[in-house]
Amino acid sequence: MHIKVNIDTDVCIGAGQCALTAPNVFTQDDDGFSALLPGQENGTDDAMAKEAARACPVGAIKVSETTG
Ligand code: SF4
């Protein structure tokens, strides 16, 4: 399973739920907004990325699953 993660930084309010939920995928930048950790830009195998998308209170995270 491979999960492409997209953060809509216009929507993100910096609640930090994503970094709490999937600390291997997300971090917060200096302003507290969500950012992908280095190496996660092309997708991740961490299923918690989907949980993070659910946890985001404003729906700023979009995930799309690909196989292979
Ligand atoms: S949980 Fe959503 S609003 Fe909060 S930092 Fe992550 S993307 Fe932004």
Side-chain angles (χ1 to χ4, degrees), residues 19-53:
L20 277 177
T21 306
N24 295 324
V25 181
F26 299 93
T27 187
Q28 285 176 280
D29 68 17
D30 291 344
D31 297 320
F33 293 110
S34 179
L36 289 172
L37 282 168
Q40 303 296 311
E41 297 90 347
N42 293 322
T44 178
D45 295 327
D46 189 340
M48 290 308 284
K50 286 199 292 180
E51 294 300 318

Side-chain angles (χ1 to χ4, degrees), residues 12-18 34 56-58 60-61:
C12 174
I13 56 168
Q17 290 302 316
C18 50
S34 179
C56 177
V58 292
I61 302 169

